[in-house]
Amino acid sequence: MEFNLDKLIRQNVKTMKPYSSARDEFEGDASVFLDANENPYPSAYNRYPDPHQKKLKKKVAEIKDVNENQIFLGNGSDEVIDLLIRAFCEPKTDEILVPQPTYGMYSVCAAINNVKVSEILLTSEFDINVEATIKTITPQTKLLFLCSPNNPSGNLLSTKSIVELAKNFSGVVVVDEAYIDFSKRESFLTKLKDHANLVVLQTLSKAWGLASLRLGMCFASPEIISVLSKIKPPYNISGLTQDVVLKYLADGKQKDEAVKEILTQREQLAKNLGQLKNVTKVYPSDANFILAKMTDAKQIYKYLLTTGIVVRDRSTVLLCDNCLRITVGTPVENEKLLDALKRL
Ligand SMILES: *Cc1c(COP(=O)(O)O)cnc(C)c1O
């Protein structure tokens, strides 16, 4: 299927002039900065940060083995999701396609932008039905959001199916890999070169343990990246975040160790949950959480709260009847959860 980026970009986005920040309007090494109405008396943060996050992108490029011009950084992946919709979907006219159940922010961002959400059900194993998905695509469908590993089910979507959809869709396929570090499966980053319409989202909020810093990473062709850069708020990544993230990225070992421990705990927790009489099914997980079907999710959710333990009640979500989504915690936290469930 023909992918024509130029035709896909909203007309107003194509013709608009982006904001030009003070720091964009000169070249060379200045030492007296009287261009941005900053306070000249130094604090650690009196200057505006680099709007292009050059140092940070260089480091991310190194870690992810991509070019710097294939990277867009957002104030969390949530900002990237919003910008993708704003770049490609004309309000009241275009739509996004979202296989359900999945992460809620795709639909929320679409609603904020007055963009229609077209939904299709995942299979009972929470995988995509390629044929049905393709049938749901209309000329107005501009974005297809695929979350793999999927939230809240925890499973990976079939690689073959994602590839097939990328080949058969003339819009943009967004593969949200927020949890990919908890999976043995290779990231879709390696497939960017094969599909001009592929966008891969990752985040520092989960495996890297930096949710509070708000850094989402988007990988795509330089052309798609340029569109996002054109419409982003100029200083969307704070100087504090850029500095601190660079420090953490310098030591990937810390992340690897945390992931390793979480994976050990995940297997343990899954096994132990499976032996409880108030748990009727434990779904396989490639993420840092487990979806578990309970005898009575609502009641158990409330009971857990009385013991000071909060999990996510997903029982009203499609295909998730009586399900709780449980994040893998520390050994002590997981033990507390299991103890509480045993006492019920
Ligand atoms: C947690 C999560 C994110 C992360 O969003 P940030 O804004 O980067 O914190 C993105 N996608 C999915 C599916 C998630 O579960």
Side-chain angles (χ1 to χ4, degrees):
M1 183 109 6
E2 196 64 47
F3 175 67
N4 185 335
L5 182 63
D6 207 49
K7 264 171 68 182
L8 207 67
I9 303 168
R10 277 170 69 198
Q11 195 57 37
N12 63 308
V13 168
K14 224 177 342 188
T15 54
M16 67 169 271
K17 210 169 151 276
Y19 180 74
S20 175
S21 73
R23 295 291 130 81
D24 277 330
E25 296 198 341
F26 76 96
E27 276 178 59
D29 285 322
S31 56
V32 179
F33 291 98
L34 304 178
D35 58 342
N37 299 346
E38 295 149 337
N39 184 327
Y41 299 106
S43 73
Y45 302 105
N46 64 323
R47 298 292 176 190
Y48 279 103
D50 174 9
H52 312 294
Q53 309 106 22
K54 286 207 184 78
K55 274 192 207 154
L56 192 47
K57 280 186 188 164
K58 188 161 177 278
K59 186 69 192 169
V60 172
E62 205 181 288
I63 293 172
K64 299 291 176 182
D65 195 20
V66 297
N67 294 325
E68 287 157 53
N69 63 3
Q70 291 179 289
I71 305 172
F72 176 85
L73 300 177
N75 185 3
S77 324
D78 290 347
E79 182 183 40
V80 186
I81 294 165
D82 179 65
L83 290 174
L84 283 165
I85 292 172
R86 286 205 258 168
F88 298 113
C89 299
E90 194 60 40
K92 294 197 213 171
T93 305
D94 292 332
E95 58 191 47
I96 66 168
L97 179 51
V98 183
Q100 295 289 359
T102 193
Y103 187 48
M105 281 306 284
Y106 316 131
S107 300
V108 170
C109 288
I112 294 169
N113 289 294
N114 208 1
V115 164
K116 190 184 146 198
V117 182
S118 173
E119 298 186 316
I120 175 121
L121 211 53
L122 291 168
T123 66
S124 55
E125 261 82 58
F126 299 107
D127 206 348
I128 16 180
N129 182 335
V130 177
E131 226 173 284
T133 305
I134 290 174
K135 272 196 198 141
T136 314
I137 293 168
T138 75
Q140 279 67 52
T141 315
K142 300 300 166 76
L143 293 169
L144 168 60
F145 282 94
L146 301 174
C147 187
S148 180
N150 187 45
N151 180 2
S153 51
N155 61 296
L156 288 155
L157 303 182
S158 136
T159 299
K160 201 165 147 258
S161 301
I162 298 176
V163 168
E164 212 166 312
L165 286 170
K167 281 186 185 160
N168 285 285
F169 181 39
S170 58
V172 170
V173 175
V174 183
V175 180
D176 187 343
E177 293 189 333
Y179 300 99
I180 195 67
D181 291 302
F182 301 106
S183 168
K184 298 224 157 45
R185 172 95 58 87
E186 185 181 68
S187 160
F188 261 74
L189 283 180
T190 56
K191 295 193 166 54
L192 282 177
K193 59 181 184 317
D194 306 325
H195 306 281
N197 62 340
L198 181 64
V199 169
V200 176
L201 300 184
Q202 293 187 4
T203 177
L204 298 187
S205 296
K206 309 288 156 65
W208 285 88
L210 302 174
S212 174
L213 293 176
R214 311 304 303 131
L215 198 94
M217 301 174 288
C218 170
F219 306 94
S221 70
E223 292 76 20
I224 292 180
I225 296 300
S226 299
V227 180
L228 297 174
S229 301
K230 184 178 182 184
I231 63 173
K232 82 181 180 74
Y235 305 108
N236 62 327
I237 312 295
S238 80
L240 181 64
T241 293
Q242 294 188 45
D243 290 349
V244 179
V245 163
L246 264 172
K247 278 190 202 133
Y248 278 99
L249 290 186
D251 182 14
K253 265 201 237 101
Q254 213 178 320
K255 180 219 44 161
D256 292 341
E257 272 163 32
V259 167
K260 204 172 143 210
E261 176 61 22
I262 290 166
L263 293 188
T264 306
Q265 286 302 313
R266 181 180 77 195
E267 300 325 310
Q268 189 84 34
L269 181 61
K271 198 175 116 217
N272 289 329
L273 282 170
Q275 287 164 355
L276 298 176
K277 59 180 189 316
N278 36 30
V279 177
T280 59
K281 176 164 183 171
V282 178
Y283 289 88
S285 172
D286 265 284
N288 66 336
F289 57 84
I290 293 171
L291 189 73
K293 203 182 262 305
M294 317 298 287
T295 46
D296 185 346
K298 281 221 169 331
Q299 185 219 338
I300 295 170
Y301 174 81
K302 281 192 199 137
Y303 158 75
L304 286 174
L305 271 184
T306 67
T307 71
I309 299 170
V310 55
V311 296
R312 198 86 199 266
D313 179 7
R314 297 283 77 182
S315 61
T316 58
V317 169
L318 285 167
L319 302 179
C320 296
D321 278 355
N322 266 322
C323 285
L324 298 178
R325 193 194 68 191
I326 303 167
T327 306
V328 178
T330 63
V332 171
E333 290 170 335
N334 302 334
E335 206 49 52
K336 278 188 187 163
L337 170 82
L338 291 164
D339 277 348
L341 287 172
K342 272 178 216 155
R343 273 186 273 117
L344 179 61

